[in-house]
Amino acid sequence: MVLQREQPVPVWGVATPSEEITVGFAGQIKSVIADKSGKWMVKLDPLTTSTVGREMLITGKSKIVLSDILVGEVWICSGQSNMQFPVAAVPEVKGLIPFMKNIRSFEVGRTVSLEESEDVIGEWSTEHPSSAVAFGFAYFLEELSDIPVGIIHSSWGSSSLEAWMPRNMGSELPYFKEIMDEFDGDKATQERIAQILESPTKWSNQDDIFLRRQPNILYNAMIKPLVPFANRGLVWYQGERNTRYLSGVPEVTEENWFHRVAGMKEYGSVLKEWMLRYREEWQNDEMNLLVVMLPGYGKGTEKKTDIDPEDPTEESWAWIRESQLQVLDLPYTAVANTIDLGDKTNIHPTDKLPVGQRLALLAAVNTLGGDRLVTGPMMLDVQEKGSELVVHFSNAKGLKTSDGKAPSGFWLADEAGDWKRAEARLEGESIVLSSEGISQPKYIRYAFAGMPKVNLVNELELPAYPFRTDSFEH
């Protein structure tokens, strides 16, 4: 395995009540007496990076030896199907396998539990993580830092944010309490879950979908048992399940019961509460969160599936991207911009290699130190100049377009909110916008569409982040 460096490292287990347990690793020896229920925990003092595999010796009435333990950076990679998306389906990522070094992985078995579990299905391995995004991230992070990387991969396709939420978040989020109250009162669902879990045969696809689209019970089985394993943070690639409605928790029918989740506009505030709750669980206020922005996609919501993927007024994924960016309100967070990636018709795009690269850049600088540029241009402020608006950016060194053409993806609106495509030109590290149809432009939307055509990048070829300066509902 890999143990997290530069943090206290909990080691815990179960023994006979009042049994003395001693843990030895890397020159440290820690002892503890098991409590009356047999539970025990020690915390190793912060460890320094090690690429040499060493043994941990745990002794009591019996002896356990854990071997080939490295010390480096540990990250949990979680989410839904685009995090689960396999290495084998992305040739560019698969091609990295022969060159990997000092990467360890722990694949969390996909199951559910009606109660918070203490045990987890899985084991540490010297194999690469099965997830293309998680492996790409680990590979490039190790390459950038020359520090071992341990990935705990815990994801499940089509799961909502609510699936990964602790039950007691209902006290902070009334809508989630309502969802859990409904879940608790649904005896048929409880019985079906129990029957699936007790079945001696492999689950059917229908059973699999039924389990992973429930609230809370993925957290119980696939996250809670990982606590308090020391880690640097969480890489989160999820949100698609929460895009079916622009706003609100919909009333649902038997056919679409799995849509009982927060809408795109609420997602951001819920995501922030969720991350604060995870930090509380790990008792680590500096636990990092790296969010993968949802990439380009050309379909809309349940209200209107067929949309113009470039129109900034449609109910598109633009709204959940805006919500995802709200996590930047919290310290120790970053968002990997993927607005130039994706597939108009396929919710599972294969361009996963740059996702891993961008996440690794963020992790290397934000958590390991350094001053290199690691994000694309972000809107700083807007200046009015007659019939033009001038946008100033941060992270804009070497601002240019990737194809040498005029910047694209900008729209302007007047006071009434009548949106028109903007003419855009580069001026140093700024963009000047105008539109023939608007004499007094007031508002801007950039890359604010399902799958906008964008080409604005900085010197590292990192794309500019989507933004809007208006407060219109659509």
Side-chain angles (χ1 to χ4, degrees), residues 263-269 271-272 318-328:
M264 291 190 279
K265 286 191 174 182
E266 291 77 26
Y267 185 87
S269 59
L271 186 63
K272 287 193 290 185
W319 296 94
I320 198 156
R321 295 183 199 115
E322 181 177 72
S323 271
Q324 289 178 309
L325 286 165
Q326 288 180 34
V327 301
L328 298 178

Side-chain angles (χ1 to χ4, degrees), residues 177-365:
K177 181 180 186 305
E178 191 177 310
I179 288 172
M180 291 311 300
D181 286 347
E182 289 176 3
F183 178 79
D184 292 342
D186 186 349
K187 298 309 173 193
T189 290
Q190 314 287 320
E191 288 169 12
R192 184 174 172 190
I193 291 168
Q195 286 171 356
I196 295 170
L197 292 176
E198 290 165 10
S199 172
T201 58
K202 194 169 182 280
W203 301 337
S204 68
N205 189 50
Q206 288 79 9
D207 287 343
D208 189 272
I209 291 170
F210 184 76
L211 292 180
R212 56 187 148 116
R213 292 186 180 176
Q214 301 293 345
N216 168 248
I217 59 178
L218 275 67
Y219 167 83
N220 288 347
M222 296 176 64
I223 292 291
K224 177 63 179 178
L226 305 178
V227 181
F229 197 89
N231 65 82
R232 181 68 72 176
L234 178 73
V235 179
W236 182 245
Y237 193 162
Q238 191 278 333
E240 300 91 336
R241 174 53 50 201
N242 293 78
T243 62
R244 303 316 301 148
Y245 295 88
L246 179 65
S247 181
V249 180
E251 293 301 322
V252 295
T253 63
E254 192 173 330
E255 286 73 34
N256 71 340
W257 52 268
F258 49 82
H259 288 175
R260 195 89 170 100
V261 299
M264 291 190 279
K265 286 191 174 182
E266 291 77 26
Y267 185 87
S269 59
V270 175
L271 186 63
K272 287 193 290 185
E273 289 288 344
W274 175 81
M275 190 57 207
L276 290 172
R277 180 64 183 75
Y278 272 43
R279 288 175 179 173
E280 185 182 310
E281 195 66 40
W282 262 274
Q283 297 181 4
N284 180 5
D285 291 339
E286 296 181 9
M287 185 178 181
N288 276 257
L289 173 63
L290 300 182
V291 172
V292 179
M293 180 187 289
L294 293 196
Y297 185 57
K299 295 183 181 177
T301 61
E302 290 294 300
K303 178 180 170 185
K304 182 186 174 190
T305 306
D306 294 325
I307 60 168
D308 178 345
E310 295 182 47
D311 189 324
T313 67
E314 297 274 22
E315 289 190 6
S316 71
W317 280 14
W319 296 94
I320 198 156
R321 295 183 199 115
E322 181 177 72
S323 271
Q324 289 178 309
L325 286 165
Q326 288 180 34
V327 301
L328 298 178
D329 295 343
L330 299 177
Y332 309 107
T333 60
V335 176
N337 187 4
T338 62
I339 197 61
D340 57 331
L341 306 176
D343 189 307
K344 189 161 73 171
T345 58
N346 188 350
I347 204 167
H348 300 121
T350 57
D351 48 4
K352 298 287 194 275
L353 183 77
V355 179
Q357 289 173 317
R358 293 171 192 180
L359 286 166
L361 266 178
L362 291 168
V365 171

